[in-house]
Amino acid sequence: MTEIATHLPAPPRHPLRQLLAASVGNAVEWYDWYAYTFLATHIARQVFPSGADDSLVPLLSTFAVFAVGFFMRPVGGLLMGAIADRRGRRTALTVTILLMGGSSLLVALTPAYTAAGVLSPVVLVAARLLQGLSVGGEFAASTTFLVESAGPGRRGLFSSFQYVSTTLGQLAASGLAALLVAVLAEDAMNGWGWRVPFLLGAVLSLAGFWIRRGAEETLDTRPAAAPRPGLFDALRHHPGASLRIAGITAGGTLAYYTWTSYLPTYAELETGIAKRDALLAGTLSLAFFALLQPIGGLLSDRFGRKPPLLFFGLGFALLVVPLLRALDGSFGSLLLVQCAGMVLLTGFTSISAAVNAEVFPARVRAAGIGFPYSLTVALFGGTAPYIGTLLQDVGRPGLFPWYVAVLCLCSSAVYLRLPESAHRPLDR
């Protein structure tokens, strides 16, 4: 049986080049993923039938497909994480971005329900399953790749670029959606305009693939004495670490997807704010969020991981209800609420990659992170838009902020018990 080393080589000679390779590819991945969220209402009108003009059933169906994509993420995290641990981080990263490009093209070519009937939602579900597989693997491989590429005392800073690049991709998706809504008539937007971002995403994925092929591998794949890790080695040998990843992630992923993806839709449904204003506020707050990430990473390298995690968890538990109640249907209130939440979120997002990587040994790091992280995101992050919309549909929208608060409080209990890892050497 072919075997590989269980240790990492020395940190790469060109860490900034590594940072660029991970960040550009990650931005493209997440641009494709988030374009679906921002265009959900337009996709709903084309792909799902509705018996009434004001029915929320098509939108609920679209967000259900959004959640289905999330439930493929644990599979992607496990499979692509295993590839990253066995064949190298760069190999896994090139596979994930090709999968994302193909799935984005499939979304763009999804036929309308009026033309293809039930085949229309079937094609959309298939595309989202492929996207989920890709994104689950992307986080596992890119998290590991970024943190292993960092120099001494810089893991938090490098970790922050996970969400810098994610946010830039999201920002591009939000900005393009806002532009299309502004310049196209409603019929054109519903007919073909929503397909444009997905066609562009397929092209951008090829560019990301080319950039990643030139990255330097961070895993030593030369033959050595230790066997390759098995698919479930991380879960079998490190069950406590796997549970820790889930606890770290639960509150953070719910707050993140609520604030960066669902909040414009929540504000539109709850306060009646114009869709154009909601998208613009989301775009501006995302730009602000991206600027905050390196600051959070640098602070964690200096003061440790636990203070920012607790700042996020306790801050959201205390403030999410009053923040969402402050929405009054105006552009200004939505922008202020989103930016305030982004400051709190930075305590989690800027360092989550470093915290996760510091939990597992190098041999099973990518798969060890990928499966529990992606499963937790699927359970709590991927269902956030659906739960919020469902509570709106049954007349209980006020319960949603409390749901977010309780889960953030639960994660805060995990943060309190975490050993401080910022100044410990990374296992190599």
Side-chain angles (χ1 to χ4, degrees):
M1 182 176 66
T2 305
E3 297 172 334
I4 64 171
T6 60
H7 63 279
L8 296 172
R13 294 167 295 173
H14 306 289
L16 292 181
R17 186 184 302 170
Q18 300 287 99
L19 192 62
L20 178 64
S23 298
V24 171
N26 198 46
V28 172
E29 283 264 359
W30 289 96
Y31 161 85
D32 287 343
W33 180 258
Y34 280 114
Y36 183 94
T37 308
F38 293 119
L39 296 166
T41 55
H42 300 286
I43 296 173
R45 295 186 182 103
Q46 284 288 296
V47 177
F48 296 100
S50 173
D53 291 340
D54 60 349
S55 173
L56 283 175
V57 171
L59 184 58
L60 280 170
S61 300
T62 309
F63 279 141
V65 177
F66 181 78
V68 163
F70 271 87
F71 279 95
M72 278 300 288
R73 289 177 62 166
V75 179
L78 188 61
L79 294 179
M80 296 301 166
I83 290 174
D85 287 333
R86 293 164 66 90
R87 300 291 183 182
R89 320 309 192 197
R90 185 178 62 180
T91 299
L93 288 172
T94 53
V95 171
T96 59
I97 202 164
L98 286 178
L99 283 175
M100 180 59 77
S103 59
S104 185
L105 182 62
L106 194 57
V107 173
L109 300 179
T110 299
Y113 186 86
T114 53
V118 72
L119 180 62
S120 178
V122 168
V123 172
L124 184 65
V125 168
R128 288 299 290 181
L129 290 175
L130 281 177
Q131 284 186 327
L133 187 72
S134 172
V135 168
E138 172 69 18
F139 187 89
S142 65
T143 291
T144 307
F145 181 83
L146 269 174
V147 177
E148 291 173 355
S149 296
R154 286 291 180 264
R155 294 200 301 266
L157 176 62
F158 270 55
S159 167
S160 71
F161 280 87
Q162 179 81 34
Y163 277 91
V164 169
S165 54
T166 296
T167 305
L168 289 177
Q170 192 173 358
L171 188 61
S174 174
L176 183 55
L179 177 64
L180 289 170
V181 168
V183 302
L184 293 180
E186 185 74 9
D187 288 345
M189 191 66 201
N190 290 332
W192 58 268
W194 65 268
R195 301 178 188 272
V196 172
F198 298 104
L199 289 171
L200 179 60
V203 175
L204 291 175
S205 294
L206 293 177
F209 170 76
W210 178 77
I211 291 169
R212 282 185 164 176
R213 287 191 63 189
E216 185 178 345
E217 181 56 64
T218 62
L219 179 70
D220 190 343
T221 56
R222 295 172 299 180
R228 291 174 175 173
L231 190 62
F232 296 101
D233 274 12
L235 289 172
R236 186 183 304 116
H237 299 300
H238 305 277
S242 299
L243 288 173
R244 199 173 302 132
I245 293 290
I248 290 167
T249 305
T253 189
L254 176 59
Y256 176 76
Y257 281 100
T258 296
W259 234 253
T260 64
S261 299
Y262 179 60
L263 191 54
T265 301
Y266 177 87
E268 191 179 348
L269 294 173
E270 181 69 7
T271 70
I273 189 173
K275 184 175 185 63
R276 184 178 303 180
D277 289 342
L279 285 172
L280 179 58
T283 302
L284 293 175
S285 64
L286 283 171
F288 174 66
F289 184 59
L291 294 174
L292 292 175
Q293 300 311 296
I295 298 172
L298 284 169
L299 288 174
S300 79
D301 283 331
R302 182 174 179 84
F303 300 110
R305 313 294 189 222
K306 290 179 70 169
L309 287 173
L310 289 169
F311 170 76
F312 153 71
L314 296 177
F316 246 91
L318 292 171
L319 296 176
V320 63
V321 173
L323 281 173
L324 290 183
R325 284 181 176 173
L327 296 172
D328 61 9
S330 68
F331 171 80
S333 73
L334 178 56
L335 182 61
L336 286 174
V337 165
Q338 283 202 280
C339 287
M342 298 304 194
V343 173
L344 295 172
L345 263 177
T346 297
F348 169 78
T349 54
S350 63
I351 60 171
S352 64
V355 172
N356 290 337
E358 289 160 357
V359 167
F360 280 97
R363 180 175 179 270
V364 293
R365 180 168 289 138
I369 294 170
F371 182 72
Y373 173 87
S374 296
L375 181 60
T376 307
V377 170
L379 290 172
F380 299 108
T383 58
Y386 185 83
I387 290 174
T389 306
L390 181 62
L391 289 172
Q392 175 75 30
D393 195 37
V394 300
R396 302 299 298 273
L399 291 180
F400 185 71
W402 288 105
Y403 169 56
V404 179
V406 169
L407 204 59
C408 287
L409 189 61
C410 292
S411 282
S412 296
V414 177
Y415 304 152
L416 279 170
R417 296 178 60 85
L418 282 178
E420 184 54 71
S421 57
H423 305 120
R424 294 195 321 228
L426 186 70
D427 172 61
R428 294 186 177 275

